[in-house]
Amino acid sequence: MKNCLSYGIIGAGNGGLAMAGYLAKKGFVVNLYNRTLQKILPLMEKPTITLTGEKEGTGKLNIVSDNIKEVIENVDIIMVTIPAIGHYNLGKLMAPYLKDGQIIILNPGRTGGALEIYTTLKKNGCDKNIVVGEAQTFIYACRKTSARSAHIYREKNEVSLACIPSTKTDEVIHMLSSAYPQFVPARDVMETSLNNYGAIFHPAPTLLNSGHIERGAPFDYYTEGITPSISKFLEKMDNERMRIAQALNIETCSAKDWLYESYGAVGTNLYEAIQNNPGYKGLLAPKGLNIRYIYEDVPYSLVPMSSLGKQLNIDTPAIDSVIRLAELMTGKDFWNSGRTVEHLGLNGLDLDEIHNFAQTGIVTKEKGVVA
Amino acid sequence: MKNCLSYGIIGAGNGGLAMAGYLAKKGFVVNLYNRTLQKILPLMEKPTITLTGEKEGTGKLNIVSDNIKEVIENVDIIMVTIPAIGHYNLGKLMAPYLKDGQIIILNPGRTGGALEIYTTLKKNGCDKNIVVGEAQTFIYACRKTSARSAHIYREKNEVSLACIPSTKTDEVIHMLSSAYPQFVPARDVMETSLNNYGAIFHPAPTLLNSGHIERGAPFDYYTEGITPSISKFLEKMDNERMRIAQALNIETCSAKDWLYESYGAVGTNLYEAIQNNPGYKGLLAPKGLNIRYIYEDVPYSLVPMSSLGKQLNIDTPAIDSVIRLAELMTGKDFWNSGRTVEHLGLNGLDLDEIHNFAQTGIVTKEKGVVA
């Protein structure tokens, strides 16, 4: 099967370009979709992507298009690299063209991405056997350097991944391993969704440094922006996240321990671990507040956590205060546009039913079975 | 009566020292109290205060002491300059020693200061005829420069003041006028309490710049710290404050208009007015989060506004989000330690009853009259 696999990459941003370039260079058949034609015109003229950094070389793409059907209809695996804000519309867009056996992987899903795509496909009349998986984080730290090139700063050592249905997770990880041996199985998509550390590290430090971020004053986002008081606040958010995960019997660790596992950064508390993380040194804060740290991580990471918490009777005051503040600062209704349990199809389900839905994609209620 | 008046100044901080020095220099009899003896030892040895800046000269004090009885028992007017956090304990401390006809003025009261002192005196057995007033803001921008000197940067042109009972407001303003002709009457202490602009300008910009403030990174608090998004958020808080004031038929204006009235700063929105305020230029942000902008303005300005809002069925989501965030960042329960309607004796009162209490100090309920 190796290298006979074909991939459809969704999104020609930082991640999509790096992933498409790498997979093409490895010899896979790679199609690339982007919603905005303008952005991929240079690639349509000359369909090669050149990589620099940890991965080097040039890969040649098969199809580059803003037509979703053309890109996905004949591929084995669809790698979604667009922001979570686009997942719902992407689900609707793909629904008519998917075929039995195709695999969709969200890189990453944030919180509830695979559930959202899965539910959206069903609601939009897709009755094919589709596997929808999500990675816990993006596999690279990378940046697009031009319309046809990307720089890969660092490839992660290990990224967990789960599928709906979860019985397919091992098979999918095996298929992906010829390209990405770093994927390891999670129990189900609730685990990948709750172990979303961007939810902790992105919105709150951004809001609590919003003066300097909006003015574009340069500072190190993590090591300067996350002070002892902010760090204590993040620990409160992280404890709420962990309580939800624990209620769902999900294997999780604190953000502090995750910094140790991911970067080898040690500390007696989160503040020290952040300060001691060489991977964070020199990472400048974003300039301006119109950024994914707010517009993606609030509705697609914090809202589903809070909404799940409410359903499980777990208070999330710190997470809620960040959602509320983000709404008031931006004037956006992140709660109603975000991934609530209603939106994800988890409304009213108990613990077993949630895992069952996450693992099978089937809602089992006393009344009967509703697909 | 002029210059025959005697003053007791409570607090030997920035404001207390400037006020005591000025009143003494003007020839009034001035006693000075401070809770911590250590702080006033130099003044007890040599009881003179030297002023620089807009007011210059040296004044000689009558009594300097950490004994409240000694300081207040023979004075006409007690000028309280301590932070609002001390008002409650000060009320308990003064209660046994007050005499008929004495006047207590809080400089300023923040929100509900006069009500709190008045209620505390009654609860602690003070049955004398005492007038309790509050100023809307402190009359000077000033700083203590040593244990025996202060610098007055600017004296305000106009400061509103109201008393409980409000029938005494004009008389008190007349008495004060020989020292401070700038005091003008407000309808009652609800007006001085709701027109508390520190509630808008202090806690939220501090929290939304908390990274840089805690690190001690220098920046202009107002002109750099209050960016367009933060300013829009402050406008939401300010609208909530105004809705409460309007429900109470209180004369108020927006923070933007207040900047024009106080400083002549113009702008089509709050952001522009702040940027165009020469009085804000160069005012550096505090260094560290353990400051009155949080510990005083949240429990003694925002909590009473929110609590009044709840009683009047006015939603205060922006104000509430700041209270909540401040509690989560500091670990303090500002709501329960703060000036709720219960704490201020306003619990369950309707609009007329609130003003009646503010104007007379008497709670009139159908059941009867409760002092």
Side-chain angles (χ1 to χ4, degrees):
Chain A
M1 192 171 61
K2 200 171 171 181
N3 290 21
C4 300
L5 282 176
S6 55
Y7 282 90
I9 310 294
I10 309 300
N14 293 315
L17 221 61
M19 195 172 254
Y22 171 73
L23 291 171
K25 185 182 77 76
K26 286 276 282 186
F28 296 100
V29 172
V30 177
N31 297 344
L32 177 65
Y33 167 85
N34 198 69
R35 191 178 54 167
T36 316
L37 180 66
Q38 192 63 29
K39 209 166 160 185
I40 48 174
L41 282 176
L43 268 173
M44 290 169 83
E45 272 181 37
K46 192 180 175 200
T48 60
I49 296 171
T50 301
L51 300 179
T52 52
E54 268 201 12
K55 303 284 172 188
E56 296 193 327
T58 297
K60 189 168 188 303
L61 305 178
N62 178 44
I63 296 170
V64 180
S65 174
D66 65 339
N67 180 324
I68 194 80
K69 177 172 181 286
E70 208 180 338
V71 168
I72 68 171
E73 65 182 347
N74 292 314
V75 301
D76 301 304
I77 300 175
I78 298 165
M79 293 295 248
V80 177
T81 70
I82 62 171
I85 194 169
H87 287 169
Y88 174 70
N89 282 328
L90 179 69
K92 289 203 291 185
L93 196 66
M94 294 192 299
Y97 310 116
L98 291 166
K99 294 177 181 166
D100 279 327
Q102 282 189 307
I103 296 161
I104 301 168
I105 305 289
L106 307 183
N107 296 277
R110 302 294 163 196
T111 298
L115 282 167
E116 176 163 58
I117 290 273
Y118 195 89
T119 303
T120 305
L121 294 179
K122 295 290 169 204
K123 281 189 186 159
N124 285 274
C126 174
D127 57 359
K128 301 292 188 294
N129 278 322
I130 307 296
V131 175
V132 182
E134 66 180 21
Q136 185 230 313
T137 181
F138 196 73
I139 199 135
Y140 303 130
C142 59
R143 287 287 176 276
K144 188 172 172 171
T145 47
S146 79
R148 294 176 47 248
S149 62
H151 187 82
I152 296 178
Y153 294 92
R154 205 170 63 83
E155 189 176 40
K156 287 173 190 157
N157 298 327
E158 192 176 292
V159 173
S160 69
L161 185 146
C163 294
I164 310 173
S166 60
T167 48
K168 290 285 185 182
T169 299
D170 286 343
E171 188 184 326
V172 167
I173 284 178
H174 180 70
M175 285 175 76
L176 290 168
S177 67
S178 56
Y180 295 115
Q182 304 98 320
F183 284 121
V184 296
R187 174 186 168 189
D188 60 28
V189 294
M190 296 314 294
E191 184 178 321
T192 43
S193 283
L194 267 302
N195 289 335
N196 170 2
Y197 296 94
I200 309 302
F201 288 124
H202 295 165
T206 296
L207 289 169
L208 295 170
N209 285 286
S210 53
H212 280 59
I213 288 178
E214 188 163 36
R215 278 197 300 120
F219 66 96
D220 277 13
Y221 180 78
Y222 290 93
T223 56
E224 295 191 315
I226 303 179
T227 54
S229 295
I230 294 177
S231 186
K232 273 186 205 156
F233 180 75
L234 301 188
E235 285 178 326
K236 287 181 186 177
M237 294 177 70
D238 197 45
N239 282 334
E240 293 169 7
R241 179 192 64 76
M242 281 197 288
R243 277 199 292 276
I244 299 165
Q246 283 153 3
L248 287 162
N249 294 314
I250 285 168
E251 207 173 304
T252 188
C253 71
S254 68
K256 171 175 96 71
D257 291 344
W258 179 78
L259 287 180
Y260 178 71
E261 284 179 17
S262 302
Y263 299 92
V266 293
T268 59
N269 55 36
L270 182 58
Y271 176 73
E272 286 182 16
I274 290 167
Q275 296 299 317
N276 293 336
N277 183 4
Y280 282 166
K281 293 265 183 288
L283 282 185
L284 285 177
K287 293 185 190 296
L289 288 174
N290 191 12
I291 51 173
R292 285 167 63 165
Y293 282 11
I294 302 287
Y295 287 85
E296 182 174 24
D297 285 294
V298 175
Y300 306 111
S301 299
L302 293 181
V303 165
M305 288 182 187
S306 171
S307 183
L308 265 169
K310 282 193 199 348
Q311 179 147 322
L312 301 170
N313 287 317
I314 294 163
D315 279 342
T316 55
I319 286 174
D320 292 352
S321 72
V322 174
I323 296 170
R324 204 80 196 92
L325 185 62
E327 289 187 329
L328 289 158
M329 288 277 288
T330 59
K332 301 287 178 194
D333 184 349
F334 288 131
W335 188 269
N336 281 312
S337 64
R339 287 179 178 157
T340 56
V341 288
E342 292 81 5
H343 194 83
L344 295 175
L346 300 175
N347 190 22
L349 305 192
D350 65 22
L351 290 184
D352 288 342
E353 289 166 341
I354 288 173
H355 280 297
N356 196 53
F357 180 46
Q359 285 165 14
T360 65
I362 299 168
V363 179
T364 320
K365 300 288 282 183
E366 280 181 1
K367 309 159 203 168
V369 177
V370 190
Chain B
M1 190 174 61
K2 199 171 172 182
N3 291 21
C4 299
L5 281 176
S6 55
Y7 282 90
I9 310 295
I10 308 299
N14 293 314
L17 221 60
M19 195 171 253
Y22 171 72
L23 292 171
K25 185 182 78 76
K26 288 274 282 186
F28 296 100
V29 172
V30 176
N31 297 345
L32 177 65
Y33 166 84
N34 197 71
R35 190 178 55 167
T36 316
L37 179 67
Q38 191 63 30
K39 209 168 160 184
I40 46 173
L41 282 176
L43 268 172
M44 291 169 83
E45 270 180 38
K46 192 179 175 199
T48 62
I49 297 171
T50 302
L51 300 180
T52 52
E54 268 202 11
K55 304 285 173 188
E56 296 194 328
T58 298
K60 190 167 185 304
L61 306 178
N62 178 44
I63 295 169
V64 180
S65 174
D66 66 338
N67 180 326
I68 193 80
K69 178 171 182 286
E70 209 181 340
V71 167
I72 67 171
E73 64 182 348
N74 292 314
V75 301
D76 301 304
I77 300 175
I78 298 164
M79 294 294 249
V80 177
T81 69
I82 62 172
I85 194 170
H87 287 170
Y88 174 71
N89 281 328
L90 179 68
K92 289 203 292 185
L93 196 65
M94 293 192 299
Y97 309 116
L98 290 167
K99 294 177 182 167
D100 279 327
Q102 282 189 307
I103 295 160
I104 301 167
I105 305 290
L106 307 183
N107 296 277
R110 303 292 163 198
T111 299
L115 282 167
E116 178 163 56
I117 290 273
Y118 195 89
T119 304
T120 306
L121 293 180
K122 296 289 169 204
K123 280 188 187 160
N124 285 273
C126 174
D127 56 0
K128 301 294 190 294
N129 278 321
I130 307 297
V131 174
V132 181
E134 65 181 21
Q136 187 229 314
T137 180
F138 196 73
I139 199 134
Y140 303 130
C142 59
R143 286 289 176 273
K144 187 172 172 170
T145 47
S146 79
R148 293 176 45 245
S149 62
H151 187 82
I152 296 178
Y153 294 92
R154 205 171 63 83
E155 189 175 39
K156 286 174 190 157
N157 298 327
E158 192 176 293
V159 174
S160 68
L161 185 145
C163 294
I164 310 174
S166 60
T167 48
K168 290 286 185 180
T169 299
D170 286 341
E171 186 183 327
V172 166
I173 284 179
H174 180 71
M175 284 175 76
L176 290 168
S177 65
S178 55
Y180 294 115
Q182 302 99 320
F183 284 121
V184 295
R187 174 185 169 190
D188 60 28
V189 294
M190 296 313 295
E191 185 178 320
T192 43
S193 283
L194 267 302
N195 289 335
N196 171 2
Y197 295 94
I200 308 304
F201 289 123
H202 295 164
T206 296
L207 289 169
L208 295 170
N209 285 286
S210 53
H212 280 60
I213 288 179
E214 188 163 36
R215 279 196 301 119
F219 66 97
D220 278 11
Y221 181 77
Y222 290 93
T223 56
E224 296 191 314
I226 302 180
T227 54
S229 294
I230 294 177
S231 187
K232 273 185 205 157
F233 180 76
L234 300 188
E235 287 178 326
K236 287 182 186 178
M237 293 177 71
D238 197 44
N239 283 334
E240 294 170 7
R241 179 192 64 76
M242 282 196 289
R243 278 200 290 278
I244 300 166
Q246 283 152 4
L248 288 162
N249 294 313
I250 285 168
E251 207 173 303
T252 189
C253 71
S254 70
K256 171 177 96 72
D257 292 344
W258 178 77
L259 287 179
Y260 178 70
E261 285 180 15
S262 303
Y263 299 92
V266 293
T268 59
N269 55 34
L270 181 59
Y271 177 73
E272 286 181 16
I274 290 167
Q275 295 300 316
N276 293 335
N277 182 4
Y280 283 165
K281 293 265 184 288
L283 281 185
L284 286 177
K287 293 185 190 295
L289 289 174
N290 191 14
I291 52 173
R292 285 166 63 164
Y293 282 11
I294 302 288
Y295 288 86
E296 182 174 24
D297 284 293
V298 175
Y300 305 111
S301 300
L302 293 180
V303 164
M305 287 180 187
S306 171
S307 183
L308 264 168
K310 281 191 198 355
Q311 179 148 320
L312 302 170
N313 288 317
I314 294 162
D315 279 342
T316 55
I319 286 175
D320 291 352
S321 73
V322 175
I323 296 170
R324 204 79 195 93
L325 186 62
E327 289 188 327
L328 289 158
M329 288 278 287
T330 60
K332 300 288 177 193
D333 184 348
F334 288 131
W335 187 270
N336 281 311
S337 65
R339 286 178 179 159
T340 56
V341 289
E342 293 81 5
H343 194 82
L344 295 175
L346 301 175
N347 190 24
L349 305 192
D350 65 22
L351 290 183
D352 287 342
E353 289 166 339
I354 288 174
H355 279 297
N356 196 51
F357 181 46
Q359 286 166 13
T360 65
I362 298 168
V363 178
T364 321
K365 299 289 281 183
E366 281 182 1
K367 307 160 205 168
V369 177
V370 189

